[in-house]
Amino acid sequence: MEENSCCCHRYAGAPMLVRDGEAIVPNVIKTVEVARNRGIPIIWVVREHDPLGRDVELFRRHLYGDGKPKPTSKGGVGAELVDGLVIQEGDYKLVKTRFSAFFNTNLHSYLQGIGVTNLVVIGVQTPNCIRQTVFDAVALDYQHVTVIIDATAAATPDIHIANIIDMKNVGVATPTLEEWCQS
């Protein structure tokens, strides 16, 4: 079995917007569509924080001060998926408060419970959410971890590629969407 992990994409102008994130949305949609057709469980990993920032990393707490917009507060616009990304019945929504989808969540036990041993990871942002989740998956001994390189993004192409190379160096598969669809 495989799993798709899709971190939050932000709307244009959002405080946590990943500059190249919008460009990958069509590939994220296509990946999810192909995964559904293959019977692969879809897990939407979203970042949602307490409106007062009590569960935010120390380096981001200043973003949650009085009178400031709360970038990824539960129920806020910044925590919404972009247009076109739709959580459907049967999909699983996992809320996280840190970069890794595994950190302080029930993701590992959920995946074990449904027999998942292989992961396909897509979304943003490559050096943070994607990389941390992937490195945790490798540490947790998932058999095959795949990052679809044109369904993930970072602030710049150079940052994206550097992190893809790092993940490839620890045994992570890094196909394009087209290559993954043909496999």
Side-chain angles (χ1 to χ4, degrees):
M1 284 185 116
E2 296 187 35
E3 173 260 342
N4 273 327
S5 170
C6 182
C7 293
C8 282
H9 292 270
R10 307 285 177 223
Y11 67 95
M16 303 304 282
L17 178 72
V18 174
R19 188 174 42 158
D20 287 348
E22 289 184 274
I24 67 164
V25 171
N27 284 356
V28 170
I29 292 168
K30 176 71 174 176
T31 303
V32 171
E33 177 184 297
V34 170
R36 281 197 178 104
N37 290 336
R38 292 180 179 179
I40 297 171
I42 307 298
I43 297 149
W44 296 92
V45 179
V46 298
R47 187 178 266 249
E48 293 179 356
H49 289 288
D50 172 83
L52 299 177
R54 293 173 287 203
D55 59 355
V56 177
E57 297 99 332
L58 288 175
F59 78 93
R60 286 190 174 153
R61 291 213 176 136
H62 69 281
L63 299 171
Y64 288 78
D66 288 339
K68 293 185 178 184
K70 313 303 187 232
T72 56
S73 292
K74 183 176 182 171
V77 179
E80 306 248 333
L81 296 172
V82 296
D83 291 341
L85 301 183
V86 180
I87 300 172
Q88 293 185 5
E89 186 175 332
D91 293 352
Y92 185 74
K93 178 182 174 184
L94 178 84
V95 175
K96 67 175 185 150
T97 60
R98 293 295 189 264
F99 293 130
S100 175
F102 289 101
F103 184 81
N104 207 23
T105 72
N106 68 341
L107 181 59
H108 185 56
S109 61
Y110 174 76
L111 295 172
Q112 287 181 315
I114 62 172
V116 169
T117 58
N118 304 316
L119 304 179
V120 177
V121 182
I122 58 176
V124 293
Q125 145 148 274
T126 313
N128 299 338
C129 300
I130 303 302
R131 180 185 173 119
Q132 292 291 345
T133 298
V134 164
F135 272 74
D136 282 351
V138 169
L140 290 166
D141 292 328
Y142 282 86
Q143 291 178 5
H144 300 284
V145 180
T146 300
V147 174
I148 300 177
I149 61 172
D150 52 355
T152 52
T156 70
D158 289 343
I159 292 170
H160 178 67
I161 294 302
N163 282 275
I164 293 295
I165 291 168
D166 282 348
M167 289 183 279
K168 191 172 186 174
N169 286 339
V170 296
V172 174
T174 57
T176 63
L177 174 57
E178 182 178 339
E179 291 166 341
W180 182 74
C181 288
Q182 293 173 1
S183 66

